[in-house]
Amino acid sequence: MPMFDEDNITKFKELETPFYYYDLNILRETLDACTNASAKYGFHVHYAMKANFNPKVLDMIQSYGIGADCVSGNEVKAAIEHGFGKENIVFAGVGKSDKEINLALDADIFCFNAESVQELFIINDLAKAKNKSAAIAIRINPNVDAHTHHFITTGLDENKFGINSWQLPDVVDALRKCDSLKFLGIHFHIGSQITDMEVYKNLCTRINEMQDWFADHGFEVKLLNTGGGLGVDYHNPDTNGTADFESYFKVFKDFLNVKPGQEVHFELGRALVAQCSALISRVLYVKNGQKKNFLVLDAGMTELIRPMLYQAYHQIENLSRESESNERGVAANRQSPTVHYDVVGPICESTDCFQKDVEMPESYRGDLIAIRTTGAYGEVMASGYNLRDRVGSVYSE
Ligand code: LLP
């Protein structure tokens, strides 16, 4: 299903750019696909709020009964404000502050995903002071290569996340000493934008080894949390707009050794929200040079930093040229000459470039440009650099 039609392009012409456009139907279709696929196996899904905490997005995800995966005290607060049940909130993060831990204890969240032995002792002390018991999953760094961009790989020995397997004897010592902690199970998250199911198969093997290790040491593992990471198709947002939830959950069904009474949890961010949003901007200037042609947009790295930070690909479309009539009311010209542009933003940094050498219809000042698949890690990573205005949001309904 194409995201844009004459109606919304006509509406965009009246609006100040740049803004994130949210197609709530696409979000619904994605959530239906995810919840149908996970329900087959009784899996529990938490939404990784870090991917997008736009209020309408949160409200819709919450309405599906999905839990929340938080990585800051403010995310825990926002999850509760948006109606996510406290019994469905997990809290990860390698550097949880005392203030954040206290907030989560006060909120009686479902589970802390603890990332170091030291953190176990701190959570224990803070829980004891409140006369509470904190439920804990141990985040283990499984040393499984996610085969994704190295900036978004998290499960290798060289990464700061989780507890390495050789430290597990210290973990069980700590758990035995900490009587205000309640051990629930084990947690993993190896990286993001993973589309190779073989990677998850390898993860399952490690999870099986790790749960056996805990059982051998006298700890009942009630919960297996496999983290998130399922990728989306950035190259074909219209023809392949839904992440492959079926294959994803099936890998865990087939390769995870789930014991009777055990719960399997997931923390998906990108796969739920990436395709429901596009960043809409306008061409400010067209600079034709000898070596390069530049399209200078009114959106830049302050609105969407993924291309600059991770060399991420996002499809770029000229909505004014590809639509039935352009801004000057001239009939559509899909055969209009194409030009190669470096599509850049207005920020005073050379790295402020969305993509080099994009073949596009010849473009003009005022044309509307859509940068696709920006629902995950788009709006949330916007900054105020150059004292820019905060980017707006527009909804399909
Ligand atoms: N669970 C934990 C503990 C995480 O750290 C993350 C993401 C997720 C779940 C959700 O992962 P997802 O399903 O979205 O892949 N800013 C980067 C992505 C960073 C991901 C950080 N952690 C990007 O724009 O590609």
Side-chain angles (χ1 to χ4, degrees):
M1 266 287 286
M3 185 175 221
F4 303 112
D5 56 21
E6 275 308 300
D7 286 351
N8 50 25
I9 294 173
T10 305
K11 186 171 111 189
F12 294 166
K13 286 181 187 162
E14 311 297 316
L15 301 173
E16 192 182 325
T17 47
F19 57 84
Y20 276 94
Y21 171 69
Y22 287 94
D23 186 322
L24 298 178
N25 255 334
I26 293 179
L27 179 57
R28 253 182 230 113
E29 282 168 17
T30 311
L31 295 169
D32 285 338
C34 175
T35 47
N36 290 337
S38 64
K40 278 190 202 162
Y41 312 118
F43 290 160
H44 299 256
V45 177
H46 301 259
Y47 168 55
M49 271 177 69
K50 66 177 81 62
N52 191 318
F53 35 74
N54 182 293
K56 285 214 183 206
V57 170
L58 288 184
D59 287 342
M60 186 169 296
I61 294 176
Q62 184 279 126
S63 75
Y64 276 72
I66 290 173
D69 162 41
C70 306
V71 285
S72 72
N74 284 341
E75 284 192 3
V76 173
K77 234 195 275 180
I80 291 166
E81 280 164 13
H82 285 272
F84 289 89
K86 59 186 183 179
E87 69 291 344
N88 263 330
I89 297 179
V90 297
F91 182 16
V94 72
K96 304 177 188 74
S97 70
D98 294 19
K99 182 177 166 191
E100 291 175 314
I101 294 169
N102 277 324
L103 184 147
L105 286 168
D106 289 339
D108 294 318
I109 63 161
F110 169 60
C111 188
F112 288 85
N113 295 331
E115 305 221 11
S116 66
V117 176
Q118 223 174 27
E119 184 190 331
L120 289 175
F121 285 109
I122 299 300
I123 298 176
N124 184 61
D125 290 349
L126 295 173
K128 186 168 287 179
K130 291 180 184 293
N131 236 333
K132 290 195 169 196
S133 168
I136 298 285
I138 302 296
R139 176 166 180 181
I140 300 173
N141 181 333
N143 198 27
V144 170
D145 195 340
H147 298 300
T148 182
H149 191 277
H150 60 284
F151 281 8
I152 51 175
T153 292
T154 51
L156 291 176
D157 283 348
E158 68 236 42
N159 300 126
K160 69 179 175 181
F161 301 100
I163 300 178
N164 299 112
S165 51
W166 62 85
Q167 292 170 309
L168 292 182
D170 295 339
V171 168
V172 294
D173 278 354
L175 288 172
R176 287 191 180 109
K177 287 183 191 134
C178 293
D179 54 8
S180 297
L181 300 185
K182 188 169 65 217
F183 173 78
L184 273 192
I186 49 183
H187 170 238
F188 301 79
H189 174 73
I190 56 173
S192 201
Q193 184 52 21
I194 301 168
T195 47
D196 176 1
M197 294 299 146
E198 203 61 28
V199 167
Y200 288 116
K201 219 167 122 180
N202 296 339
L203 175 62
C204 289
T205 306
R206 288 295 281 156
I207 298 177
N208 292 337
E209 289 166 9
M210 293 293 118
Q211 64 161 331
D212 288 348
W213 190 92
F214 273 90
D216 290 347
H217 287 76
F219 286 83
E220 190 194 351
V221 179
K222 294 196 185 113
L223 171 146
L224 304 174
N225 183 338
T226 74
L230 177 62
V232 299
D233 188 346
Y234 281 91
H235 290 266
N236 300 291
D238 288 329
T239 52
N240 189 24
T242 309
D244 191 0
F245 297 109
E246 294 285 344
S247 309
Y248 173 70
F249 289 120
K250 187 162 188 314
V251 171
F252 291 93
K253 159 75 183 148
D254 289 345
F255 295 98
L256 208 55
N257 187 3
V258 183
K259 310 266 163 67
Q262 243 176 7
E263 285 185 3
V264 185
H265 290 240
F266 294 83
E267 300 170 343
L268 291 174
R270 186 189 316 265
L272 297 183
V273 293
Q275 298 289 14
C276 76
S277 183
L279 176 61
I280 309 296
S281 64
R282 274 193 174 83
V283 176
L284 287 176
Y285 303 103
V286 184
K287 290 178 79 174
N288 294 317
Q290 276 187 330
K291 290 194 172 160
K292 289 265 184 195
N293 301 306
F294 294 98
L295 273 194
V296 184
L297 307 186
D298 61 6
M301 62 194 286
T302 40
E303 286 68 45
L304 176 69
I305 201 172
R306 300 195 70 256
M308 300 79 185
L309 199 53
Y310 315 114
Q311 297 79 50
Y313 173 85
H314 288 265
Q315 188 164 294
I316 300 175
E317 296 166 11
N318 184 329
L319 299 182
S320 304
R321 302 296 135 193
E322 283 156 17
S323 70
E324 286 311 300
S325 62
N326 66 26
E327 301 233 282
R328 290 159 202 81
V330 177
N333 188 1
R334 284 172 198 275
Q335 285 81 41
S336 66
T338 58
V339 179
H340 286 251
Y341 294 107
D342 280 13
V343 180
V344 302
I347 306 304
C348 299
E349 297 266 355
S350 293
T351 187
D352 186 30
C353 174
F354 288 112
Q355 206 182 310
K356 288 189 192 297
D357 221 22
V358 192
E359 187 178 358
M360 291 174 71
E362 188 164 18
S363 303
Y364 298 90
R365 175 175 166 83
D367 283 359
L368 285 165
I369 304 291
I371 305 182
R372 301 292 304 273
T373 320
T374 50
Y377 308 107
E379 189 180 359
V380 285
M381 291 179 79
S383 78
Y385 185 42
N386 287 193
L387 209 51
R388 297 264 294 167
D389 286 336
R390 172 114 206 123
V391 62
S393 331
V394 170
Y395 305 92
S396 55
E397 53 198 69

